[in-house]
Amino acid sequence: MKSNTHIVVVRMKEIIYTAVFLIFAVILILLLVFMFGGRRNDQKQPSVHTSSTYIPGVYTSSLVLNNNTVDVAVTVDSDHINGVALINLEDSVATMYPLLETCMEDISTQLAGNVPLSEISYDSSSQYTYQLLTQSIEKALDKAVPSGI
């Protein structure tokens, strides 16, 4: 009887490369499953200010700029924001903060065009003014949301 013995030489380098490749393949498959498989019965929580119903009215929040108080008024009806405006804006404050009025007009125009408050677009040169105003608008909107929601 003749035996057909074959000798296979496997280099340790090849085994290590294969093991590393298999580990990466398993990690990639798990990542894809978690990213795209997900849980099917998750329901998105509605955002408080975009899909909730407001109590109609005019709501204000105060904004303190250099020891001067400026009120931000937000007018809402039952399902969207009708307008925003600055109240009690003194000439000295308007002179010291010239972007305040133009940014508020731009925000008001965008909100009238049914753009959600979180998606307001603005120029990077006046981003801090926009952020300050949108935070004040959010504070006023917190008062407009019914307490049960």
Side-chain angles (χ1 to χ4, degrees):
M1 287 190 123
K2 218 174 169 186
S3 102
N4 289 335
T5 305
H6 296 287
I7 298 175
V8 177
V9 177
V10 179
R11 295 185 180 147
M12 188 59 130
K13 210 185 237 187
E14 292 174 0
I15 293 174
I16 292 172
Y17 286 151
T18 304
V20 168
F21 175 74
L22 287 174
I23 291 171
F24 280 134
V26 168
I27 290 172
L28 179 66
I29 290 171
L30 289 175
L31 181 68
L32 289 174
V33 166
F34 285 121
M35 283 178 58
F36 298 112
R39 291 174 267 175
R40 296 290 176 206
N41 41 350
D42 278 351
Q43 293 182 355
K44 289 186 177 180
Q45 295 280 336
S47 176
V48 173
H49 299 302
T50 57
S51 64
S52 66
T53 304
Y54 300 118
I55 300 172
V58 177
Y59 299 92
T60 61
S61 68
S62 296
L63 178 64
V64 179
L65 298 170
N66 201 19
N67 295 328
N68 293 315
T69 303
V70 177
D71 292 327
V72 175
V74 180
T75 307
V76 295
D77 62 12
S78 61
D79 54 349
H80 68 282
I81 302 170
N82 290 335
V84 292
L86 294 172
I87 300 175
N88 300 331
L89 182 64
E90 296 178 10
D91 291 335
S92 61
V93 176
T95 304
M96 289 180 64
Y97 303 98
L99 294 175
L100 205 58
E101 290 179 298
T102 57
C103 291
M104 184 58 87
E105 289 172 5
D106 185 41
I107 291 172
S108 181
T109 303
Q110 290 184 45
L111 289 174
N114 291 328
V115 175
L117 186 61
S118 61
E119 295 177 13
I120 295 288
S121 62
Y122 50 85
D123 186 25
S124 63
S125 63
S126 56
Q127 70 181 5
Y128 298 112
T129 306
Y130 276 95
Q131 289 174 356
L132 187 68
L133 291 173
T134 54
Q135 288 172 358
S136 295
I137 292 169
E138 287 175 352
K139 287 180 187 176
L141 286 177
D142 287 341
K143 300 174 187 176
V145 176
S147 61
I149 293 181

